């Protein structure tokens, strides 16, 4: 009897390994198809003939330059005088032996050109940084955003809109953040009826017959200035008070709202805000939450969310991403002597993404899935 059971277990094990191997071969084949399809389709951001393309190309080749470049872009808006600009170029790039000509020239001449040359350099870099920003920021106000959203839709692309800002420092800032969303949504309300559904959704008002035309994402820390996990109930209620205003407007438009996941520090607060908002609107289908596969907790958090949705007979949506705070989480944990909350090897995060994807698909009856990844392997796996 023991021999028969051993043979059966071995057979099951071999079958499982073969299934994994077959799946992996399919993923690789699909990935190659995607690579082939995009080979000649390079985004304008990486056009080597443009300033932005040169900067991005250098950034991909030189890790130290990339760090300095993004530090410089981050501080650039505060460089209000030519003297500040030239001193920062010298500080950030003065020691670089290998950099794009524009910054090499700027670093060498920053101290020689004087105020006139500094003004010319300021204008040149300002124009190019604003051009770079336009690759990522759809508009500086609601009017600009709507114009660019319509341009995207005319080329077959939908989008999720996120008003920039997080970790507000005052209640006034948080109120202003809400007002910005409400103004944007009101502008979108007036336009969306003229938009044709994307994909094969002609028989529906939805894009691809499944997705609302208007999708927005909100960062919880932008809705309250004192998000402190030690005072769990306070931040949850304060964030809910403001996100309700936004969600009411989203529902009026028939849109989709995603509660973004931010740093590990506010993870549990974010999940609780999502749960309470969903319980307040159990029959509205277009509410989701972002989960980050690089967090070690996400295996448990995902299981708990699915169990919670099942127990309350709710349909939920999850936008699965890898996570964008990896450096911050590592540094903060090491400074405080805490256990690092993220996977420290990229392959572990990639594996977790595929694991979480499978779990969500296995629970498709209660959970809709949105794949958020730039990684070809991850997309092919999905």
């Amino acid at each position: 009897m023991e021999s028969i059971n051993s043979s059966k277990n071995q057979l099951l094990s071999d079958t499982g390994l073969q299934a994994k191997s077959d799946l992996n071969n399919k993923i690789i084949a699909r990935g190659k198809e995607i690579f082939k399809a995009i080979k000649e389709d390079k985004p304008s951001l990486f056009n080597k003939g443009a300033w932005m393309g040169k900067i991005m190309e250098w950034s991909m080749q030189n890790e130290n330059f990339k760090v300095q470049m993004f530090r410089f872009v981050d501080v650039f808006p505060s460089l209000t005088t030519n003297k500040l600009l030239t001193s920062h170029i010298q500080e950030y790039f003065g020691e670089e032996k290998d950099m794009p000509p524009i910054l090499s020239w700027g670093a060498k001449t920053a101290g020689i050109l004087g105020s006139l040359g500094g003004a010319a350099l300021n204008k040149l870099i300002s124009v190019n940084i604003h051009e770079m920003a336009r690759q990522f920021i759809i508009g500086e106000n609601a009017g600009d955003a709507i114009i660019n959203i319509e341009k995207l839709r005319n080329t077959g692309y939908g989008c999720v809109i996120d008003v920039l800002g997080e970790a507000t420092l005052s209640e006034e800032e948080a109120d202003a953040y809400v007002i910005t969303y409400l103004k944007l949504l009101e502008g979108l309300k007036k336009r969306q009826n003229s938009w044709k559904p994307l994909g094969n959704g002609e028989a529906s008002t939805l894009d691809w017959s499944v997705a609302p035309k208007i999708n927005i994402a909100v960062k919880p820390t932008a809705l309250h200035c004192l998000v402190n996990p030690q005072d769990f109930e306070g931040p949850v209620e304060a964030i809910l008070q403001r996100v309700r205003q936004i969600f009411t407007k989203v529902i009026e438009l028939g849109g989709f709202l995603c509660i973004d996941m931010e740093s590990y520090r506010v993870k549990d607060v974010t999940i609780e805000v999502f749960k309470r908002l969903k319980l307040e609107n159990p029959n509205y289908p277009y509410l989701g939450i972002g989960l980050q596969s690089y967090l070690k907790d996400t295996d448990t958090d995902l299981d708990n969310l699915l169990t919670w949705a099942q127990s309350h007979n709710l349909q939920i949506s999850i936008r699965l991403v890898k996570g964008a705070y990896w450096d911050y989480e590592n540094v903060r944990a090491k400074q405080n002597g805490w256990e690092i909350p993220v996977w420290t090897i990229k392959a572990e995060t990639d594996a977790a993404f595929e694991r979480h994807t499978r779990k969500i698909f296995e629970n498709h009856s209660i959970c809709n899935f949105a794949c958020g990844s730039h990684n070809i392997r991850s997309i092919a796996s999905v």
Side-chain angles (χ1 to χ4, degrees), residues 32 49 59-60 91 125-126 153 179 183 194 232 235 304:
K32 288 180 178 179
S59 293
M60 296 304 102
E91 179 184 346
I125 293 179
S126 179
R153 293 188 64 85
I179 290 170
K183 286 181 178 178
S194 66
F232 188 80
N304 290 342

Side-chain angles (χ1 to χ4, degrees), residues 228-240 269 272 276:
N228 183 354
Q230 293 176 326
D231 174 27
F232 188 80
E233 192 62 26
V236 168
E237 279 302 321
I239 293 168
L240 269 172
V269 168
E272 185 63 22
R276 295 191 193 183

Side-chain angles (χ1 to χ4, degrees), residues 221-233:
T221 60
L223 299 174
H224 182 51
C225 68
L226 296 171
V227 181
N228 183 354
Q230 293 176 326
D231 174 27
F232 188 80
E233 192 62 26

Side-chain angles (χ1 to χ4, degrees), residues 42-321:
K42 184 168 287 191
S44 61
L45 181 64
F46 290 89
N47 178 359
K48 294 181 184 179
W51 183 88
M52 292 176 294
K54 291 183 174 70
I55 294 294
M56 296 303 290
E57 187 72 14
W58 284 92
S59 293
M60 296 304 102
Q61 296 172 2
N62 187 323
E63 184 66 28
N64 185 56
F65 172 80
K66 181 169 64 175
V67 171
Q68 294 295 78
M69 183 62 206
F70 282 101
R71 281 181 63 206
F72 178 74
V73 170
D74 188 51
V75 78
F76 181 77
S78 66
L79 305 180
T80 54
T81 69
N82 299 330
K83 185 177 180 180
L84 279 172
L85 173 71
T86 53
S87 66
H88 276 74
I89 288 177
Q90 287 177 317
E91 179 184 346
Y92 285 10
F93 305 109
E95 298 302 317
E96 284 294 316
K97 304 290 189 301
D98 195 20
M99 70 174 80
I102 182 175
L103 290 175
S104 177
W105 172 80
K108 290 175 183 176
T109 59
I112 301 171
L113 290 175
S115 59
L116 184 62
L121 183 62
N122 192 335
K123 184 175 181 179
L124 181 63
I125 293 179
S126 179
V127 167
N128 281 289
I129 286 181
H130 277 86
E131 188 64 29
M132 182 183 286
R134 277 196 286 269
Q135 301 284 326
F136 303 100
I137 301 170
I138 203 163
E140 293 186 34
N141 54 56
D144 288 346
I146 291 169
I147 290 171
N148 288 315
I149 288 167
E150 292 182 339
K151 287 180 180 177
L152 278 174
R153 293 188 64 85
N154 287 337
T155 57
Y157 290 93
C159 62
V160 179
I161 309 157
D162 177 9
V163 174
L164 293 177
E166 54 188 287
T168 56
L169 301 178
S170 70
E171 293 301 281
E172 289 76 17
E173 282 186 24
D175 287 336
Y177 190 74
V178 173
I179 290 170
T180 301
Y181 265 107
L182 295 179
K183 286 181 178 178
L184 175 62
L185 288 166
E186 184 60 33
L188 291 169
K189 176 184 177 182
K190 296 174 182 177
R191 295 296 304 165
Q192 72 162 332
N193 290 336
S194 66
W195 298 345
K196 292 182 179 179
L198 298 174
N200 299 315
E202 289 79 3
S204 169
T205 59
L206 300 173
D207 289 337
W208 303 284
S209 299
V210 294
K213 296 174 183 175
I214 294 173
N215 277 257
I216 67 167
V218 173
K219 291 181 170 61
T221 60
L223 299 174
H224 182 51
C225 68
L226 296 171
V227 181
N228 183 354
Q230 293 176 326
D231 174 27
F232 188 80
E233 192 62 26
V236 168
E237 279 302 321
I239 293 168
L240 269 172
Q241 184 180 354
R242 290 190 173 96
V243 79
R244 285 188 190 109
Q245 299 176 56
I246 297 172
F247 194 37
T248 298
K249 191 68 176 178
V250 169
I251 293 173
E252 180 186 326
L253 276 62
F256 190 103
L257 172 65
C258 181
I259 307 296
D260 263 349
M261 187 64 70
E262 301 177 82
S263 68
Y264 181 73
R265 177 174 175 269
V266 295
K267 173 180 69 72
D268 292 338
V269 168
T270 301
I271 292 173
E272 185 63 22
V273 166
F274 167 76
K275 285 181 174 180
R276 295 191 193 183
L277 196 60
K278 184 62 184 178
L279 286 173
E280 292 173 5
N281 304 271
N283 298 318
Y284 190 75
Y286 305 124
L287 175 66
I289 184 172
L291 292 184
Q292 301 164 324
S293 286
Y294 73 176
L295 289 180
K296 297 175 183 177
D297 283 3
T298 298
D299 286 292
T300 301
D301 289 336
L302 176 57
D303 283 343
N304 290 342
L305 262 176
L306 293 170
T307 300
W308 172 82
Q310 187 81 55
S311 65
H312 289 84
N313 194 27
L314 295 171
Q315 184 81 24
I316 63 173
S317 293
I318 291 174
R319 179 177 180 239
L320 189 66
V321 299

